[in-house]
Amino acid sequence: MAFRILVADDHPLMRAALCQSVTGAIAGLTTVEAANFPEVEAALKREDNIDAVLLDLHMPGMNGLIGLALLRNEFPAVPVIVVSAMEDATTIQRAMDYGASGFVPKSAPITHIGEAIKAVMDGNIWLPPTQGPAVPGDGDMAARVAGLTPQQLRVLAGIAEGKLNKQIAYEMGVVETTVKAHVTVILRRLGVVSRTQAAIVASKLALSGGGETAEA
């Protein structure tokens, strides 16, 4: 059976290497390419026969785990395999908590890409061979984030980037009061009491450490 894979990475050489790896690993497989998160969404909306996504967590517009959660929310039938230079056990576990079906470190042997795709297409989870005890994940927070709508996740992404409500509203094409309403729901869902606390959570989800904004 032929597969069609969306390869999403902002570095042209890495993207080309991934495309070469997957087409070489599985006969008849074809690829679609994306260099940023908006291109990923556009491709998934445009192409109705994409079987899986190979996803870099640090593309422009991605916001790390927020983008992953948004993809799982909008396109639940399309499995996502994270391909990342961040390959510590905690990051791997967090990616799985937020809906990834597989995780392939960029330092892994090329053969792992093919193995991951085949496993995921068979309905299984694929993780790199690891040593050591299990690490804590983001189970509770992931469940909270999964309860947000796509629009609320976009607002959360804007908060992670330190944007003001009026900036987020402009980019989303809505009025500022709509964004404020989304922020209120986001605070309740995340179990925080201020926008600053939400910004700290959002920046951690974006894999950018801490962060805050002065807007109330």
Side-chain angles (χ1 to χ4, degrees), residues 1 20 28 49 65-66 101 107 120 127 133 145 152 163 183:
M1 178 180 177
Q20 184 177 12
N49 60 343
L65 299 171
I66 298 175
S101 295
S107 65
V120 169
L127 293 172
V145 171
Q152 289 161 0
K163 295 176 180 176
V183 171

Side-chain angles (χ1 to χ4, degrees), residues 39-126:
E39 289 184 8
V40 172
E41 290 188 293
L44 288 170
K45 291 175 181 177
R46 181 182 67 248
E47 310 275 351
D48 60 1
N49 60 343
I50 291 177
D51 296 293
V53 181
L54 293 182
L55 185 71
D56 177 20
L57 290 177
H58 286 88
M59 292 184 300
M62 182 70 198
N63 289 295
L65 299 171
I66 298 175
L68 174 57
L70 184 54
L71 286 185
R72 302 308 301 129
N73 189 306
E74 290 189 300
F75 310 100
V78 183
V80 176
I81 301 170
V82 171
V83 182
S84 178
M86 295 182 66
E87 51 191 72
D88 59 281
T90 298
T91 298
I92 294 173
Q93 182 59 56
R94 295 182 76 199
M96 305 310 290
D97 287 341
Y98 285 87
S101 295
F103 193 107
V104 181
K106 287 186 176 180
S107 65
I110 292 176
T111 55
H112 283 188
I113 295 289
E115 292 174 10
I117 292 173
K118 290 174 182 176
V120 169
M121 290 298 92
D122 286 338
N124 299 315
I125 297 295
W126 194 93

Side-chain angles (χ1 to χ4, degrees), residues 159 162-168 176 179-180 183 187 194-197 199 212-216:
I159 293 173
K163 295 176 180 176
L164 301 175
N165 286 344
K166 61 183 179 181
Q167 293 174 291
I168 298 173
E176 187 175 353
V179 173
K180 288 182 177 179
V183 171
L187 297 183
S194 70
R195 198 179 193 278
T196 296
Q197 290 181 341
E212 62 182 71
T213 176
E215 183 175 345

Side-chain angles (χ1 to χ4, degrees), residues 123-145:
N124 299 315
I125 297 295
W126 194 93
L127 293 172
T130 57
Q131 299 292 328
V135 296
D138 274 8
D140 179 65
M141 184 56 69
R144 293 173 183 267
V145 171

